[in-house]
Amino acid sequence: MPRGDGIVRVRREVKGRRGKTVTTISGVALGHDELRELASELKRRVGTGGSAKDGVIEIQGDHCDALIEELRARGHTVKRAGG
């Protein structure tokens, strides 16, 4: 089980992605399979693609607000990270 400070961080990134924006979610204390399942549900929620790897969920596009709202509704402590 991944350890962390219990805070899920949501940030928008463009670096190293050929100008494409992705929303990354890190710090979710779930195992690999549960993380992939959560990623699938979040992708469906915002209607876009993405992936889950190395404990980080990546969702294509800028969906910070919707994802923060959804994660809070699921009982996570969520912070917006980055700029």
Side-chain angles (χ1 to χ4, degrees):
M1 189 72 125
R3 288 198 328 239
D5 56 6
I7 297 171
V8 176
R9 289 180 169 78
V10 178
R11 72 185 309 149
R12 192 176 68 89
E13 290 183 12
V14 219
K15 252 191 203 140
R17 301 178 195 284
R18 289 184 248 135
K20 301 234 187 317
T21 302
V22 297
T23 304
T24 61
I25 302 166
S26 58
V28 183
L30 294 174
H32 182 69
D33 293 337
E34 292 94 343
L35 193 71
R36 288 183 54 193
E37 182 59 36
L38 176 61
S40 294
E41 290 168 15
L42 293 175
K43 288 186 293 188
R44 274 196 295 278
R45 166 83 163 78
V46 295
T48 188
S51 66
K53 56 184 177 228
D54 303 327
V56 177
I57 297 173
E58 295 182 354
I59 306 286
Q60 294 169 0
D62 182 0
H63 299 287
C64 289
D65 296 331
L67 294 172
I68 288 171
E69 193 180 297
E70 180 69 21
L71 289 164
R72 281 195 176 130
R74 290 168 179 259
H76 295 282
T77 304
V78 185
K79 255 189 188 176
R80 182 186 290 262

